[in-house]
Amino acid sequence: MEIAIIILVIAVIFITRSLKVVPQQHAWVIERLGKYHGTLTPGLNILVPFVDRVAYKHVLKEIPLDIASQVCITRDNTQLQVDGILYFQVTDAMRASYGSSNYIVAISQLAQTSLRSVIGKLELDKTFEERDIINAQVVAAIDEAALNWGVKVLRYEIKDLTPPKEILHAMQAQITAEREKRALIAASEGRRQEQINIATGEREAFIARSEGEKQAAINNAQGQAAAILAVAEANAQAIERVAAAIRQPGGEQAVQLKVAEKAVEAYSKVAADASTTLIVPGNMTEVSALIASAMKMVTLKG
């Protein structure tokens, strides 16, 4: 009975040491008698008990790593307190096990030194404007060295850039001055635009008034011309009708009678004025000649 229990225990030990289940997105490094033998992939794996052992276990997922805050000096000798976060992934379990004693510490230290080097090439204002460039340069510097450690650096992000308090106050004052300057410029631009709009409105109003006056003058002139033309046409029609009436039988005698009446009426009006001296022709044939002359003019007009 005791032998059976011992055999069962030994069997369980052999099974537990020989069968290994590796989770998804993990890689286990196996050493055989102290030497690298292979890398176990996810799933069930069989080892040689007491000969093979799991030396290292690595997670193949993307891993975020906080980079400790440090003081960096810019090109214009300004101190900056900088911290960030690094994202990396183990791509070669064997190199991650034997390429560095601690690849996480190595990556962290290299990220800090690379960040100091990149920021040292930039002026203070550029460090705030070119974060993407800083991140890309840090990733490029780390990734080149991390290949020997079986690690792929995916990206680096700066979390905070904190200058000294004196620099912060100076930057705040500069920002305030810039905002006040932009406000003054905006106000002056508004006033200038207002004056331009007023001048444009007055000019357009003046042009509209002048166009109206011009059109009114044209309309008035056309009205006067139409009136004169209407009067002339009426006079012409009257003369044509008189001429036509003269050509009718007895028309000429009627005109002579009318002219004689007008002449007598004119002499009567002149004689009625006491202050007027009236000279009557001695020969009344002159009056007949006057009437004949008038008839000739009427006939010519007709």
Side-chain angles (χ1 to χ4, degrees), residues 2-169:
E2 293 179 357
I3 297 174
I5 294 173
I6 293 172
I7 294 173
L8 180 60
V9 170
I10 293 173
V12 170
I13 292 174
F14 266 81
I15 292 173
T16 56
R17 294 185 68 89
S18 62
L19 298 179
K20 298 293 182 182
V21 178
V22 180
Q24 184 67 34
Q25 285 296 90
H26 286 70
W28 292 2
V29 174
I30 301 301
E31 291 182 352
R32 175 167 292 180
L33 299 177
K35 183 180 179 180
Y36 172 76
H37 177 67
T39 302
L40 299 183
T41 58
L44 180 63
N45 296 271
I46 300 175
L47 306 180
V48 178
F50 303 105
V51 177
D52 296 338
R53 73 180 185 91
V54 177
Y56 301 96
K57 296 181 179 181
H58 298 287
V59 178
L60 303 182
K61 300 176 183 179
E62 183 176 338
I63 301 173
L65 176 63
D66 279 322
I67 305 300
S69 177
Q70 63 176 331
V71 176
C72 301
I73 299 177
T74 63
R75 185 178 179 182
D76 49 358
N77 296 324
T78 302
Q79 293 184 351
L80 280 178
Q81 194 78 20
V82 185
D83 63 350
I85 184 169
L86 182 71
Y87 297 87
F88 71 95
Q89 187 176 21
V90 175
T91 57
D92 190 332
M94 190 272 288
R95 288 191 177 187
S97 301
Y98 303 106
S100 174
S101 60
N102 191 330
Y103 62 85
I104 294 179
V105 174
I107 291 174
S108 177
Q109 293 297 321
L110 186 57
Q112 289 183 323
T113 56
S114 300
L115 181 62
R116 287 196 297 268
S117 176
V118 172
I119 290 182
K121 300 176 183 178
L122 300 174
E123 295 181 354
L124 178 62
D125 293 339
K126 294 295 183 180
T127 59
F128 296 100
E129 299 173 1
E130 300 182 358
R131 285 197 177 193
D132 292 339
I133 296 176
I134 296 173
N135 296 336
Q137 291 181 357
V138 171
V139 169
I142 301 173
D143 196 38
E144 184 178 356
L147 290 176
N148 296 325
W149 305 332
V151 175
K152 173 66 176 176
V153 177
L154 303 176
R155 58 189 179 278
Y156 177 81
E157 297 291 340
I158 295 176
K159 291 195 295 185
D160 290 315
L161 284 172
T162 308
K165 293 182 179 180
E166 297 79 7
I167 301 297
L168 283 176
H169 292 317

Side-chain angles (χ1 to χ4, degrees), residues 138-241:
V138 171
V139 169
I142 301 173
D143 196 38
E144 184 178 356
L147 290 176
N148 296 325
W149 305 332
V151 175
K152 173 66 176 176
V153 177
L154 303 176
R155 58 189 179 278
Y156 177 81
E157 297 291 340
I158 295 176
K159 291 195 295 185
D160 290 315
L161 284 172
T162 308
K165 293 182 179 180
E166 297 79 7
I167 301 297
L168 283 176
H169 292 317
M171 293 174 64
Q172 187 64 39
Q174 182 180 3
I175 293 173
T176 303
E178 287 292 333
R179 288 177 179 173
E180 292 177 352
K181 176 183 176 182
R182 288 196 295 266
L184 291 175
I185 292 174
S188 63
E189 287 291 335
R191 290 192 295 269
R192 184 175 72 87
Q193 190 62 41
E194 180 184 4
Q195 293 175 357
I196 291 174
N197 292 340
I198 292 174
T200 303
E202 292 178 351
R203 180 170 63 90
E204 292 177 354
F206 178 78
I207 292 173
R209 286 195 299 270
S210 63
E211 288 292 335
E213 293 174 355
K214 173 184 175 182
Q215 191 63 41
I218 292 173
N219 293 340
N220 188 22
Q222 290 177 348
Q224 292 179 357
I228 294 172
L229 180 62
V231 172
E233 290 178 351
N235 291 333
Q237 291 178 0
I239 293 172
E240 289 177 356
R241 290 182 180 179

